[in-house]
Amino acid sequence: MLPDGYELAETSVFKNEKKYPMVIISAFSARTSAFIGSRLEFYIIARNTETGLLSWIISDYETNTNSHDPKNGFCGYTSDPVVFTTTPYGELLIDFKGLRNSKKFSVSADLKSGKIEDLDEELWIEGNLSIDYGGELKDESSNTFSLIFDPALMKEAVNISIENIDIKENSYLSSIIDYDKPERAAVFPYSQHFIIKQDLKKNELTNETDLNNQIKIFLSRTGFKTMSGDDIKKPLIAGMLISSLLNLGLILFLLIKLLT
């Protein structure tokens, strides 16, 4: 599942823990100017042999909203039903059912049992500066990209003990992981804001200093345009008018041909 230029790497979720090869399953809510929904993503943690950076390789995903990947381009939702929520009793509930392959991921966790601990900086900061697609999602045209975020968002998370996690079903990556025996579970009890900057030069972000420079540039920018209903209505109306004019022109052309 790893693309060319990567090799398996050993890492840890929390600081000062034993390092080992890792597959990460991540569920989160996404809200952008174009769509709102939930996503389930599967990563293999590898090392970029050119840069030496720890890297997150996206190997599969599910979502209940619009999406994009290098192999399939823009596409609609892939999973239904989808549940990603917490209860008033301190439970985390996650349930995804894939439409393409009937695979399922269903898990619950007791959030009250966890405690805040420091995260491994190499995995959570350096790793998010080197992200790529692998497996069936990889395309020759796709390149490594970086997320721009405040490092404080990756400083710590809630460490949930394995005894308080119940994996009811998981059909994903079953050929390479023992899905019912996870090593760690981390929960971020706050929102995380990411920016994907498409015009970054190759290997422009390689460490936290580069990341902080990009944050300063982003925070200094002003005049961002928010999406409104007119952004959708105007192109739709223009498209309908052009289509109507073309149809009218075609009808007039056919009438003239018949009459002559």
Side-chain angles (χ1 to χ4, degrees), residues 47-65:
R47 192 170 297 279
N48 188 307
T49 55
E50 178 184 357
T51 64
L53 291 176
L54 207 65
S55 307
W56 292 52
I57 308 301
I58 305 173
S59 302
D60 203 353
Y61 71 88
E62 297 288 358
T63 180
N64 64 346
T65 185

Side-chain angles (χ1 to χ4, degrees), residues 25-30 35 37-43 58-69 75-84 94-105 137 170-173:
I25 302 175
S26 176
F28 56 92
S29 293
F35 62 84
S38 298
R39 286 182 67 89
L40 183 70
E41 296 188 346
F42 302 83
Y43 315 91
I58 305 173
S59 302
D60 203 353
Y61 71 88
E62 297 288 358
T63 180
N64 64 346
T65 185
N66 301 326
S67 187
H68 177 275
D69 63 73
C75 52
Y77 65 95
T78 67
S79 188
D80 185 47
V82 167
V83 175
F84 178 55
I94 303 172
D95 192 88
F96 282 76
K97 181 180 179 181
L99 297 174
R100 302 167 294 181
N101 44 36
S102 297
K103 292 182 178 180
K104 295 181 180 180
F105 180 79
L137 300 179
N170 178 34
S171 313
Y172 296 90
L173 305 183

Side-chain angles (χ1 to χ4, degrees), residues 91-134:
E91 302 167 297
L92 173 67
L93 303 178
I94 303 172
D95 192 88
F96 282 76
K97 181 180 179 181
L99 297 174
R100 302 167 294 181
N101 44 36
S102 297
K103 292 182 178 180
K104 295 181 180 180
F105 180 79
S106 181
V107 62
S108 62
D110 179 9
L111 297 177
K112 295 181 294 183
S113 67
K115 60 179 181 178
I116 294 284
E117 293 189 17
D118 288 338
L119 294 166
D120 185 297
E121 292 181 2
E122 184 184 34
L123 174 63
W124 294 97
I125 295 181
E126 178 182 298
N128 278 294
L129 303 181
S130 179
I131 302 173
D132 207 337
Y133 286 87

